[in-house]
Amino acid sequence: MHRIVFLGPPGAGKGTQAARLSKELGVHHLSTGDLLRAAVAAGTPPGREAREHMNAGRLVPDDLVLAILNERLRHADAREGFLLEGFPRNLAQARMIEKNVHVDTVLSFELPERLLIERLSGRRTCPVCQTAYNIVTQSPKVPGRCDRDGAELVQRPDDRPEAISTRLTVYADKTAPLLSYYRTAGLLRTVDATGTPEEVAARVRSALR
Ligand code: AMP
């Protein structure tokens, strides 16, 4: 059974790789960003509370994220395992999952800041299936439309310049300390996230061997 965490700055390609790998391994892909965006779209009370934090590029309060994640995590863990993407994002969250489940591998995606900004500002997302494109490096077949379902692609509010810079600062301050935490625990493996999704996927596979 695989119990994997994907760690790394926004724009490193975690979501793209998590979607591929979870299919290959047959494990649940749990993305707190996707779960939160779904709550925002559904207009639930937690969604309404999360929205402002997300649009500004700040972290959503831990109790709110946990309320959305916890039940799904237990369910996924009890079955085929999981691939957690975008969680934990700070030390308090890392300690919280330890109470509930056991993680066996943490993959850290590494990409220079210049490329992170390039990827985030060019990203367009399908609001229906969440597939990510990039207007420069990974454009859809029909401009502005999702290859899978034809929906009109949108720019995430937090992929605008002001929010990008907040997200990168939040990553450095709150999330990056998790790297040494998991390295000390002997769980951390790093992945060079430059290049095409296929190239990165090959590195992910070899990091898991
Ligand atoms: P992501 O799709 O992973 O880039 O997440 C988008 C936004 O959702 C983040 O910028 C945060 O506002 C929020 N978010 C996602 N995961 C978490 C988390 N584990 N803790 C706090 N906020 C989160």
Side-chain angles (χ1 to χ4, degrees):
M1 171 144 43
H2 295 276
R3 296 180 176 116
I4 303 168
V5 166
F6 273 17
L7 208 63
K14 302 184 297 297
T16 303
Q17 295 301 327
R20 293 174 84 118
L21 186 69
S22 58
K23 250 193 233 149
E24 275 177 38
L25 299 178
V27 298
H28 289 270
H29 172 195
L30 292 174
S31 154
T32 44
D34 285 349
L35 292 173
L36 286 164
R37 276 184 290 278
V40 170
T44 61
R48 282 202 296 274
E49 203 184 324
R51 185 191 178 110
E52 217 182 294
H53 297 286
M54 293 174 76
N55 287 354
R58 296 189 302 267
L59 292 185
V60 169
D62 292 341
D63 54 346
L64 238 150
V65 182
L66 277 177
I68 286 176
L69 177 70
N70 249 338
E71 198 190 322
R72 286 174 187 257
L73 186 59
R74 274 196 214 103
H75 181 74
D77 187 44
R79 298 176 65 191
E80 304 86 1
F82 55 80
L83 198 171
L84 256 183
E85 177 226 329
F87 187 96
R89 274 234 196 1
N90 58 32
L91 278 167
Q93 291 183 2
R95 294 193 178 112
M96 281 184 241
I97 35 172
E98 268 159 32
K99 280 194 203 141
N100 293 309
V101 294
H102 170 80
V103 169
D104 35 53
T105 312
V106 178
L107 284 193
S108 157
F109 289 75
E110 299 186 335
L111 196 73
E113 185 164 305
R114 178 181 59 81
L115 294 177
L116 295 173
I117 295 171
E118 213 172 275
R119 285 191 186 173
L120 290 169
S121 46
R123 173 159 69 182
R124 298 294 181 275
T125 312
C126 173
V128 177
C129 69
Q130 308 299 327
T131 300
Y133 298 86
N134 187 289
I135 50 173
V136 184
T137 54
Q138 250 203 303
S139 50
K141 292 191 185 101
V142 177
R145 298 268 166 196
C146 179
D147 290 348
R148 292 193 182 173
D149 48 41
E152 192 171 345
L153 303 180
V154 295
Q155 182 175 41
R156 280 171 41 174
D158 58 348
D159 282 341
R160 306 224 162 92
E162 325 75 67
I164 289 177
S165 106
T166 305
R167 288 161 74 203
L168 291 171
T169 307
V170 166
Y171 178 78
D173 291 351
K174 306 261 169 67
T175 311
L178 291 178
L179 296 174
S180 57
Y181 179 79
Y182 284 124
R183 191 175 293 117
T184 307
L187 300 179
L188 192 77
R189 300 184 194 176
T190 56
V191 173
D192 169 4
T194 59
T196 64
E198 289 69 32
E199 287 166 342
V200 181
R203 292 184 204 122
V204 166
R205 271 184 233 111
S206 69
L208 287 174
R209 254 175 237 134

